[in-house]
Amino acid sequence: MSVGETKQDKETQLKLPIKYYDEERFNWVETSVWTDKMLTALERGLKGDKWFSLIDKVCSERNLKASWERVKRNGGSAGIDKQTIERFEAKAEIYLQEIREALKTDGYMPDKIKRVWIPKVGKAEMRPLGIPVIKDRITQTALRNVIEPIFETKFYEHSYGFRPKRGCKDALRRIDELMKIGYLYIVEFDIKAYFDNVDKDILLNKIQERIADNRIIELLEKYLEQTIVDEMKEWKPESGTPQGAVISPLLANIYLDEFDRYFANNGKELIRYADDGVILCKTKKEAEECLEMIKEKLKKLKLEIHPEKSKIVDMNKEEAEFEFLGYKFYREKKRAIISRYPATKSFNKMKDRVRTLTQRQNGASIEKVIADTNKTMKGWYEYFKHCNKFIFEKVDGWIRRRLRRILRKRDGREGNSIGADHQRYPNAFFAKLGFFSLKETHTLACQS
């Protein structure tokens, strides 16, 4: 024993499990499920690479409670049973026990999914969103807590959508890195109606490659066969995973991991985020080959690319551009650099929001209008702070003009803001009222 170490200390240390895994790598997993022993097995690998007897982890009291807390934090609308978060919380212990007993006895049956339609950004068309009931959100979260680490450790490195410790910025950073070293032929692709066309049999076979617990597979089958209710219509979809379901993003990544690895194994620089992706190439010929490879590989998965959203872009050409994850990559005219701007849809969405907040008939004080606008612009800046610096000055000026229009109307003067209004209400005037300047914020960030 070392100096100062007691016999009791030594005995305590001997009882503690030795960690044979990278704690940083797994700091996102649900600790109510994944013990040190299980994480060590995950890191080292299992014989046959399959996991057995997992259903007891799904229905454990600690896992269900942790899952309920996460669902409560996320909030959201009531499902088909009209039960709200508040109503569930009032009897949470009783409801959680009911879920646990149903899972233990294989009597758990998911409820129907309420379908709602939400507008697509910058388009007249709508997209469907499924809203499960709260008990199903909890159970799916508990299920995801158990099975996600099993698949996550094997996923392709440059798949970024709906994965822990990864996001849009990581994907965009990877694109930047590749373009700087000469990968300037961009193959853009979008999978047509991806979530609606996932083949259930193919998906379940992929899951069974890693999980040998039939009760887990049966539970997943129940979720894939949930009835969808859209106003007065009800049906069971023959394919797909419900958009809006907690478990769907993980299932979507499991389904496409074979696709990802096919390109990685063939030395291609694929970057995927959910159903959108790009492959960066050094030659036009390679890009054309990749586009055909995408079509061929998706066909085997019973999927197809969206013909209008899939193409090859040669970024060697002046004024060439492509958009990905809200950013526009643009080759400046007569300049050997590629600048970053907000994509058209992203830019228009921000402007529509600001227009709503800065209408001339807005009855709130100018301080309140600025404070509300700041909230929108701070979030927008956080995502687009890596854009070309000139965009920030442009947006600042546009917002100030809209604020001047409000003040002009309150002064009893009609029309748009003109030069005299700039003298009457200079930039310093708005700065004193707390105006969030994108340009100044970006300048300070660059200096630091």
Side-chain angles (χ1 to χ4, degrees):
M1 290 189 293
S2 60
V3 177
E5 185 180 41
T6 67
K7 183 178 180 182
Q8 186 176 1
D9 291 335
K10 187 67 176 178
E11 290 174 352
T12 301
Q13 289 177 19
L14 291 172
K15 292 178 183 178
L16 292 174
I18 301 173
K19 298 179 181 180
Y20 292 105
Y21 63 91
D22 183 348
E23 291 186 68
E24 179 65 24
R25 186 183 178 200
F26 295 109
N27 64 5
W28 56 272
V29 302
E30 177 52 56
T31 55
S32 66
V33 174
W34 286 88
T35 63
D36 288 335
K37 183 178 179 180
M38 290 174 67
L39 288 173
T40 298
L42 190 63
E43 182 86 304
R44 289 182 162 187
L46 292 174
K47 185 177 180 180
D49 211 20
K50 282 193 176 185
W51 288 76
F52 297 80
S53 303
L54 295 173
I55 193 67
D56 61 311
K57 307 292 190 301
V58 176
C59 62
S60 76
E61 189 172 343
R62 289 182 62 204
N63 187 19
L64 288 173
K65 187 174 181 180
S67 300
W68 154 238
E69 292 297 332
R70 181 174 295 186
V71 169
K72 183 169 67 172
R73 287 195 302 272
N74 291 340
S77 305
I80 198 73
D81 62 355
K82 298 182 180 179
Q83 186 177 51
T84 62
I85 294 288
E86 291 74 22
R87 282 179 57 192
F88 190 97
E89 186 173 22
K91 296 182 178 180
E93 288 189 18
I94 296 173
Y95 291 139
L96 291 177
Q97 187 60 32
E98 290 175 355
I99 293 171
R100 187 163 184 253
E101 289 302 318
L103 287 170
K104 287 171 67 177
T105 59
D106 297 333
Y108 187 89
M109 287 300 298
D111 211 328
K112 299 173 182 179
I113 293 178
K114 182 172 75 172
R115 170 165 284 189
V116 297
W117 294 84
I118 60 176
K120 287 187 175 182
V121 179
K123 295 186 178 180
E125 55 187 299
M126 310 284 278
R127 72 178 181 90
L129 182 68
I131 303 180
V133 298
I134 292 173
K135 71 164 188 173
D136 287 341
R137 288 182 234 170
I138 294 169
T139 312
Q140 287 190 26
T141 302
L143 178 59
R144 187 185 65 187
N145 288 344
V146 173
I147 70 172
E148 184 173 31
I150 295 172
F151 293 95
E152 174 62 32
T153 54
K154 301 288 186 178
F155 280 155
Y156 169 60
E157 181 183 3
H158 299 300
S159 161
Y160 295 96
F162 311 115
R163 294 184 60 189
K165 301 176 70 174
R166 292 168 183 264
C168 297
K169 290 295 185 68
D170 301 301
L172 294 165
R173 193 175 295 114
R174 178 64 179 167
I175 291 173
D176 248 3
E177 291 171 355
L178 291 170
M179 287 198 298
K180 286 175 181 176
I181 58 174
Y183 287 82
L184 294 174
Y185 287 90
I186 315 299
V187 184
E188 292 184 77
F189 68 92
D190 177 276
I191 303 174
K192 188 176 181 181
Y194 172 52
F195 285 90
D196 291 332
N197 289 317
V198 167
D199 184 275
K200 296 177 183 179
D201 291 332
I202 294 176
L203 173 60
L204 289 171
N205 285 336
K206 290 181 180 299
I207 293 169
Q208 286 174 302
E209 290 174 4
R210 304 295 315 283
I211 292 176
D213 188 329
N214 288 333
R215 295 171 73 185
I216 293 287
I217 304 302
E218 288 169 6
L219 183 57
L220 285 167
E221 281 185 292
K222 290 177 181 178
Y223 283 125
L224 293 172
E225 294 173 359
Q226 280 178 279
T227 298
I228 295 176
V229 179
D230 188 347
E231 294 183 346
M232 301 300 292
K233 296 183 292 184
E234 291 189 17
W235 74 95
K236 284 189 177 183
E238 294 181 2
S239 62
T241 61
Q243 293 191 50
V246 174
I247 200 74
S248 286
L250 173 60
L251 300 182
N253 278 329
I254 293 172
Y255 195 79
L256 282 179
D257 190 55
E258 176 189 332
F259 172 85
D260 297 338
R261 295 197 171 280
Y262 172 77
F263 287 95
N265 293 339
N266 282 279
K268 308 303 180 186
E269 295 292 350
L270 166 69
I271 296 166
R272 184 177 65 80
Y273 194 100
D275 54 350
D276 290 326
V278 291
I279 298 180
L280 286 83
C281 307
K282 286 191 172 182
T283 67
K284 183 179 180 181
K285 182 181 178 182
E286 183 188 3
E288 290 170 343
E289 291 172 352
C290 283
L291 187 56
E292 292 306 311
M293 289 165 69
I294 292 169
K295 295 176 183 177
E296 179 185 337
K297 194 61 184 175
L298 288 179
K299 188 176 181 180
K300 292 180 180 178
L301 293 170
K302 299 186 180 182
L303 301 169
E304 59 180 306
I305 63 172
H306 198 299
E308 297 174 6
K309 298 179 181 178
S310 303
K311 60 181 184 291
I312 296 172
V313 180
D314 180 0
M315 293 301 291
N316 294 287
K317 295 181 178 179
E318 289 183 1
E319 299 185 320
E321 64 178 57
F322 74 95
E323 296 184 355
F324 189 59
L325 300 180
Y327 270 74
K328 177 191 290 185
F329 294 85
Y330 178 75
R331 167 73 73 173
E332 297 282 359
K333 187 176 182 180
K334 297 182 180 179
R335 299 176 70 191
I337 63 167
I338 297 173
S339 297
R340 294 182 296 271
Y341 295 92
T344 304
K345 284 197 302 184
S346 305
F347 196 63
N348 289 341
K349 181 180 179 182
M350 176 274 291
K351 293 185 79 173
D352 287 344
R353 175 60 179 156
V354 172
R355 284 191 186 101
T356 301
L357 295 170
T358 57
Q359 294 177 352
R360 274 190 285 193
Q361 61 269 35
N362 192 319
S365 67
I366 194 66
E367 290 87 354
K368 178 70 164 60
V369 174
I370 289 173
D372 290 342
T373 306
N374 284 351
K375 291 178 185 177
T376 293
M377 297 315 300
K378 286 177 180 179
W380 189 84
Y381 172 79
E382 188 57 34
Y383 188 77
F384 290 103
K385 61 187 176 183
H386 302 291
C387 283
N388 187 298
K389 63 181 179 181
F390 300 112
I391 195 70
F392 302 123
E393 184 175 5
K394 178 180 177 181
V395 174
D396 277 350
W398 176 72
I399 296 175
R400 289 193 190 99
R401 284 195 297 276
R402 293 195 62 83
L403 295 173
R404 290 185 182 108
R405 288 172 74 240
I406 296 174
L407 294 170
R408 181 180 176 86
K409 181 174 177 62
R410 292 179 183 180
D411 288 343
R413 292 175 292 119
E414 297 299 325
N416 291 322
S417 175
I418 57 176
D421 291 326
H422 187 85
Q423 306 294 327
R424 189 176 288 108
Y425 307 112
N427 294 354
F429 170 82
F430 296 109
K432 286 181 180 179
L433 296 178
F435 178 78
F436 176 73
S437 169
L438 298 169
K439 179 186 175 183
E440 291 179 10
T441 304
H442 183 260
T443 300
L444 289 171
C446 290
Q447 290 173 351
S448 62

